[in-house]
Amino acid sequence: MTDTRSAADTRLKAAIVTVTPFQQNCTLVWDGKTRHGVVVDPGGDVPRIKSAIAQANVEIDAILLTHGHIDHAGGAAELREALGVEIAGPHVADKFLLDDLPNNGKRFGLTAQAVTPDRWLDEGDTVKIAGRPFAIFHCPGHSPGSVVYFSKEQRFALVGDVLFAGSIGRTDFPYGDHAALIDAIKRKLLPLGDDIAFVCGHGPTSTFGQERRTNPFLQG
Ligand SMILES: [Zn+2]
Ligand SMILES: [Zn+2]
């Protein structure tokens, strides 16, 4: 586990636990004062996520999912049971992926339970993360139900596999839609501000400004 931000008092803290053979960035986000927070995308390796929660000394209020792929959602049901909290997200368009997690896991030699979130999310919804409002943007393309969590106050977003540092989410699935993905990034995310820092599903963090200027998929 590495601390990605050692923020001032009013800023939320975040820590990444890399999980599954896909090196997915399961992310803890919490308030340093109240020590309440959430787990975003517990894709697997649940014992390691639980020890990261203990190490950060955080009381988890909820589990949030950005989309239905196994590396993001494969450990969600197990962690929900262990923590006794609710799961919010993704958009209901990813229900078919969440229902198919056990079968999908077999293909990769992973054990995963199917999961039904307690709350589906949609464009314009708001969820509380450590007491702060995060706006929901529905950004299909990588998966039909991908959502992005955005805090205007914190200048921070959790984008899942929509956007990466220097890349974008894969769309070579039967349900992938490259044009929709590019449209969502350009129309919904980049206008939020160049200064917005984001944690993505794989690899290093970045900012929307850095990606707007240099990401090869977003030029032209
Ligand atoms: Zn994905
Ligand atoms: Zn992923």
Side-chain angles (χ1 to χ4, degrees), residues 22 24 67 69 71-72 142 161 164 201-202:
F22 301 95
Q24 201 278 120
H67 65 295
H69 283 156
D71 50 330
H72 297 255
H142 171 69
D161 288 354
F164 301 116
H202 307 264

Side-chain angles (χ1 to χ4, degrees), residues 20-41:
T20 80
F22 301 95
Q23 300 284 292
Q24 201 278 120
N25 291 332
C26 172
T27 308
L28 311 184
V29 183
W30 73 94
D31 182 307
K33 278 188 181 161
T34 68
R35 307 215 73 84
H36 276 261
V38 301
V39 179
V40 183
D41 287 353

Side-chain angles (χ1 to χ4, degrees), residues 140-173:
H142 171 69
S143 74
S146 284
V147 295
V148 166
Y149 299 80
F150 168 66
S151 168
K152 189 176 176 183
E153 171 216 48
Q154 297 282 315
R155 316 305 293 162
F156 177 61
L158 295 143
V159 305
D161 288 354
V162 170
L163 176 65
F164 301 116
S167 189
I168 59 169
R170 287 174 56 179
T171 53
D172 59 331
F173 305 106

Side-chain angles (χ1 to χ4, degrees), residues 163 190 193-198 206-215 219:
L163 176 65
L190 299 189
D194 279 356
D195 64 316
I196 305 299
F198 67 85
S206 183
T207 65
F208 288 163
Q210 172 73 14
E211 298 316 306
R212 185 181 58 74
R213 286 187 297 271
T214 66
N215 190 312
Q219 306 309 307

Side-chain angles (χ1 to χ4, degrees), residues 24-149:
Q24 201 278 120
N25 291 332
C26 172
T27 308
L28 311 184
V29 183
W30 73 94
D31 182 307
K33 278 188 181 161
T34 68
R35 307 215 73 84
H36 276 261
V38 301
V39 179
V40 183
D41 287 353
D45 299 325
V46 169
R48 285 186 36 228
I49 297 171
K50 284 160 75 178
S51 60
I53 293 167
Q55 194 184 324
N57 189 23
V58 176
E59 178 89 12
I60 298 300
D61 299 324
I63 294 166
L64 305 178
L65 300 177
T66 61
H67 65 295
H69 283 156
I70 190 162
D71 50 330
H72 297 255
E78 185 186 340
L79 190 64
R80 171 168 62 185
E81 201 171 306
L83 299 179
V85 299
E86 296 199 335
I87 298 174
H91 187 281
V92 69
D94 270 8
K95 184 177 189 304
F96 74 105
L97 291 170
L98 296 172
D99 289 345
D100 195 47
L101 286 173
N103 280 328
N104 193 245
K106 280 181 202 147
R107 289 178 47 208
F108 300 107
L110 299 171
T111 313
Q113 294 174 46
V115 61
T116 301
D118 300 280
R119 178 187 174 193
W120 297 108
L121 296 174
D122 203 350
E123 181 86 10
D125 284 349
T126 302
V127 298
K128 282 272 176 74
I129 296 181
R132 315 302 212 289
F134 276 65
I136 302 304
F137 292 93
H138 180 207
C139 298
H142 171 69
S143 74
S146 284
V147 295
V148 166
Y149 299 80

